[in-house]
């Protein structure tokens, strides 16, 4: 009787264990196959409101919400060369509910300037959808007596002290382009980093700083209003939105050509099916005429790109910017 009771007890335990194992497996499968999204999705922007990444997020969010059937919540997480927002996403759950508005600062520049960025631009993310690129522009206050980039170079050399130039922040494309510009032409310049393009542009418009290297979109209207002068773009050629502004390439400074991309990335390990769903949704929205026009009129250069090509762009850009950072000695 005792042996029979012991056998029954052991068999009972085995049954419970099997139920737990199979129940756990069924629960895991249920989690993997449950519909997505069932709650709001966070879209993390690594800059304060008003910058190029923020512009893309605010144009994209309502259209993506409509397509996915869930609210899209924009969270601005600036700081440390835009690495703070990237860290947040890199360490978030890979369940499709936290996405990054990835950009050149967070993916290509900051990791080269920080000893411990807290993420790897290649291994920490799934890069899903490239949206477009933003040319950077040399902008000056109207009080500066120049109308061309060569005249700006001469004016800087004539000043009794190093000339300050502003950018949207340390490790921004504007920061690196400015350092490279100063080093290439041996100009006495001093970088002034701001917490976002908005505060920097306010100081430029007031004349507190005379020169800024900034993303083109927010400056087109200011040029038309006569509040700023735009001297050169860091694009390989002129753009339709600012046809009178020459590119650095045509001015003999092709080494200053740079692409400040904006795209959508997710934490590494995102299930393939979710990644494809997000990538398809963003690419379909990017192909819409109203979406493209809303960004192109602000100076964005749109481009359709497969996720595989976007994923390849990240290490290529990171390597290129790492060389520039090392050469200029830029620091965060």
């Amino acid at each position: 009787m005792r042996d029979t009771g012991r056998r029954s007890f052991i068999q009972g335990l085995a049954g419970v264990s099997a139920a737990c194992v199979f129940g756990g497996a069924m629960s895991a499968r249920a989690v993997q196959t449950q519909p997505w999204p069932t709650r709001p999705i966070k879209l993390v922007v690594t800059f304060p409101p008003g910058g190029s990444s923020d512009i893309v997020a605010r144009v994209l969010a309502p259209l993506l919400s409509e397509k996915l059937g869930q609210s899209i919540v924009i969270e601005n997480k600036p700081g440390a060369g835009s690495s703070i927002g990237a860290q947040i996403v890199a360490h978030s759950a890979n369940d499709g509910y936290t996405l990054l508005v990835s950009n050149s600062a967070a993916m290509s520049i900051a990791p080269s300037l920080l000893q411990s960025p807290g993420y790897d631009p290649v291994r920490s993310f799934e890069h899903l959808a490239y949206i477009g690129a933003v040319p950077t522009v040399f902008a000056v206050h109207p009080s500066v007596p120049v109308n061309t980039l060569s005249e700006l170079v001469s004016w800087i050399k004539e000043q009794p002290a190093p000339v300050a130039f502003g950018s949207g922040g340390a490790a921004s494309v504007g920061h690196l382009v400015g350092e490279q510009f100063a080093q290439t032409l041996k100009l006495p310049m001093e970088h002034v980093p701001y917490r976002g393009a908005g505060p920097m542009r306010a100081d430029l418009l007031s004349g507190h700083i005379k020169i800024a290297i900034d993303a083109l979109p927010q400056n087109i209207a200011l040029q038309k209003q006569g509040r700023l002068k735009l001297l050169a773009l860091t694009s390989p050629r002129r753009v339709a939105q600012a046809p009178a502004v020459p590119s650095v390439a045509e001015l003999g400074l092709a080494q200053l050509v740079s692409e400040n991309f904006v795209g959508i990335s997710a934490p590494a390990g995102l299930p393939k099916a979710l990644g494809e769903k997000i990538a398809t949704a963003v690419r379909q929205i990017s192909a819409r005429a109203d979406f493209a026009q809303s960004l192109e009129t602000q100076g964005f250069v749109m481009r359709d790109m497969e996720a595989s090509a976007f994923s390849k762009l990240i290490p290529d850009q990171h390597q290129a910017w790492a060389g520039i950072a090392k050469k200029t000695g830029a620091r965060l």
Side-chain angles (χ1 to χ4, degrees):
M1 289 291 293
R2 257 184 233 154
D3 288 344
T4 303
R6 189 181 298 111
R7 281 198 301 271
S8 298
F9 178 69
I10 292 171
Q11 289 170 352
L13 282 178
V16 171
S17 299
C20 289
V21 169
F22 288 111
M26 289 177 65
S27 296
R29 283 196 297 272
V31 168
Q32 291 174 1
T33 57
Q34 66 177 298
W36 176 93
T38 58
R39 53 188 170 87
I41 298 167
K42 288 192 295 187
L43 199 54
V44 177
V45 177
T46 65
F47 289 100
S52 300
S53 296
D54 187 68
I55 289 173
V56 170
R58 294 182 190 283
V59 176
L60 175 67
L63 300 177
L64 190 59
S65 174
E66 178 183 317
K67 184 165 284 290
L68 298 179
Q70 269 295 336
S71 300
I72 307 294
V73 180
I74 297 171
E75 292 191 357
N76 295 86
K77 299 291 184 181
S82 81
S83 66
I84 289 178
Q87 285 182 45
I88 289 171
V89 176
H91 297 289
S92 295
N94 54 7
D95 54 9
Y97 289 101
T98 304
L99 303 176
L100 176 70
V101 181
S102 49
N103 54 72
S104 297
M107 294 294 108
S108 309
I109 300 176
S112 300
L113 302 182
L114 291 166
Q115 285 191 336
S116 301
Y119 62 93
D120 183 284
V122 178
R123 290 189 287 269
S124 298
F125 301 94
E126 305 291 344
H127 298 294
L128 305 177
Y130 177 102
I131 295 174
V134 188
T136 303
V137 66
F138 285 79
V140 299
H141 188 266
S143 64
V144 181
V146 304
N147 292 297
T148 66
L149 194 63
S150 62
E151 289 177 353
L152 179 65
V153 170
S154 298
W155 180 81
I156 291 172
K157 290 179 177 179
E158 293 168 357
Q159 302 313 299
V163 175
F165 75 93
S167 79
S172 65
V173 171
H175 175 195
L176 269 288
V177 169
E179 297 282 7
Q180 192 179 19
F181 174 63
Q183 188 176 86
T184 300
L185 297 172
K186 297 179 172 52
L187 302 176
M189 299 180 72
E190 183 177 307
H191 178 232
V192 180
Y194 285 80
R195 285 184 61 81
M200 181 273 294
R201 207 170 297 117
D203 270 7
L204 178 63
L205 290 169
S206 69
H208 185 69
I209 56 173
K210 302 296 184 182
I211 303 170
I213 302 173
D214 192 18
L216 174 64
Q218 304 91 325
N219 290 285
I220 294 175
L222 296 173
Q223 181 196 36
K224 291 178 179 177
Q225 296 163 8
R227 301 176 67 191
L228 291 178
K229 291 187 283 190
L230 307 184
L231 305 183
L233 295 171
T234 63
S235 54
R237 60 191 65 82
R238 298 190 187 208
V239 298
Q241 299 85 350
V245 183
S247 74
V248 289
E250 69 183 87
L251 297 176
L253 292 168
Q255 65 269 48
L256 298 184
V257 170
S258 59
E259 179 183 55
N260 184 11
F261 76 83
V262 180
I264 299 297
S265 302
L270 180 76
K272 185 177 179 181
L274 283 188
E276 290 176 347
K277 185 171 184 177
I278 295 167
T280 298
V282 175
R283 288 182 69 191
Q284 288 176 346
I285 291 169
S286 296
R288 288 177 49 160
D290 56 345
F291 179 82
Q293 185 177 13
S294 65
L295 293 181
E296 286 173 345
T297 55
Q298 299 186 70
F300 285 81
V301 178
M302 308 298 289
R303 179 182 171 193
D304 185 40
M305 187 182 291
E306 295 281 350
S308 58
F310 183 31
S311 295
K312 184 179 183 304
L313 173 70
I314 302 299
D316 289 348
Q317 265 220 351
H318 177 48
Q319 185 176 8
W321 281 113
I324 294 171
K326 183 177 180 181
K327 184 177 178 181
T328 61
R331 293 287 183 271
L332 266 175

